[in-house]
Amino acid sequence: MSSEPGPLLALDLTGTFAFGLNGALTAVRAARLDVVGVVVLGMITALGGGFIRDVLIDSLPPATLLDLRYYTLAAAGGLIAFALSRHLRRLEPAITVLDAVGLSTFAVIGATKALDAGLGVAPAMLLGVVTAVGGGTIRDTLVRRIPTVLRSDLYAIPALVGAALTVAAIETGLYGLPAALGAATVCFLIRVVGLRLRLHAPEPPETRSSGGRKRGRE
């Protein structure tokens, strides 16, 4: 079972379910898969980033293998997504919100666990981002899409901001549930506002005129 404090564990489990549901819905949108494929890709999205983080900090076996709640919630999210897949177009706003929820919570938890493992400030921020985007990157690779983190709006940047705020709170002794929720909220808002306003990270100048309008429609 996880040894995280109750509020942080709840945050982690919330992110796991949100990414499981979002990852499966995204998989349905990208490829024609049966129920096994949908659930597996949902679980990969939910658990992949944490697996990568735990392997890199030598926290083995990964926490999600020691706590039934993680892969139960991830699988439940995948099954719900499969059941709702016929309403996929109407669920687009929910998919966006769930993705932002998962991104935010995993960035905070990933940075926290990295610091707890004795890593420095910069590596902890990096692992916060890896935790947030790792599962989705694996999912996109499996369905033969360019990973979202490499092509879409503001994605890694909000995760980095959330991880940085988390690290700053821990380093200054201000970390607790309010700080964790605050960091996650900032990450969430940057992601959602970026999508709403179609903001993107800077691109090479020569690609702006040729690919900018196409990218804005993705």
Side-chain angles (χ1 to χ4, degrees):
M1 300 291 287
S2 174
S3 60
E4 293 178 31
L8 296 183
L9 175 60
L11 195 66
D12 203 9
L13 293 173
T14 299
T16 298
F17 177 76
F19 257 11
L21 183 55
N22 166 260
L25 286 170
T26 303
V28 170
R29 181 172 52 185
R32 294 181 62 85
L33 301 172
D34 62 14
V35 61
V36 175
V38 171
V39 172
V40 166
L41 285 181
M43 293 182 71
I44 286 172
T45 307
L47 306 177
F51 265 63
I52 296 171
R53 177 202 63 225
D54 288 348
V55 169
L56 291 176
I57 64 177
D58 197 27
S59 177
L60 300 174
T64 51
L65 293 182
L66 300 175
D67 192 331
L68 180 65
R69 290 172 293 184
Y70 284 99
Y71 41 93
T72 298
L73 285 170
L79 287 171
I80 292 172
F82 181 81
L84 297 177
S85 59
R86 70 184 65 183
H87 307 294
L88 187 59
R89 188 174 299 276
R90 284 183 289 175
L91 291 171
E92 289 288 344
I95 293 174
T96 299
V97 171
L98 288 170
D99 182 74
V101 169
L103 185 80
S104 305
T105 56
F106 278 20
V108 171
I109 294 297
T112 302
K113 289 188 174 181
L115 282 179
D116 288 344
L119 297 185
V121 169
M125 291 167 56
L126 176 61
L127 280 188
V129 176
V130 168
T131 305
V133 307
T137 300
I138 298 171
R139 176 206 62 214
D140 288 343
T141 301
L142 290 175
V143 298
R144 292 184 291 183
R145 297 198 324 172
I146 297 174
T148 301
V149 67
L150 299 181
R151 63 174 173 81
S152 176
D153 309 299
L154 297 179
Y155 200 70
I157 290 176
L160 181 60
V161 171
L165 291 173
T166 302
V167 169
I170 293 173
E171 291 294 302
T172 56
L174 300 176
Y175 190 67
L177 181 59
L181 292 176
T185 299
V186 171
C187 176
F188 176 85
L189 290 175
I190 294 174
R191 171 63 175 156
V192 171
V193 170
L195 284 169
R196 180 73 175 176
L197 301 180
R198 296 190 176 186
L199 301 177
H200 303 280
E203 299 175 330
E206 63 271 17
T207 68
R208 291 175 185 167
S209 59
S210 61
R213 289 190 297 272
K214 180 180 179 182
R215 184 177 175 182
R217 293 192 298 267
E218 291 180 349

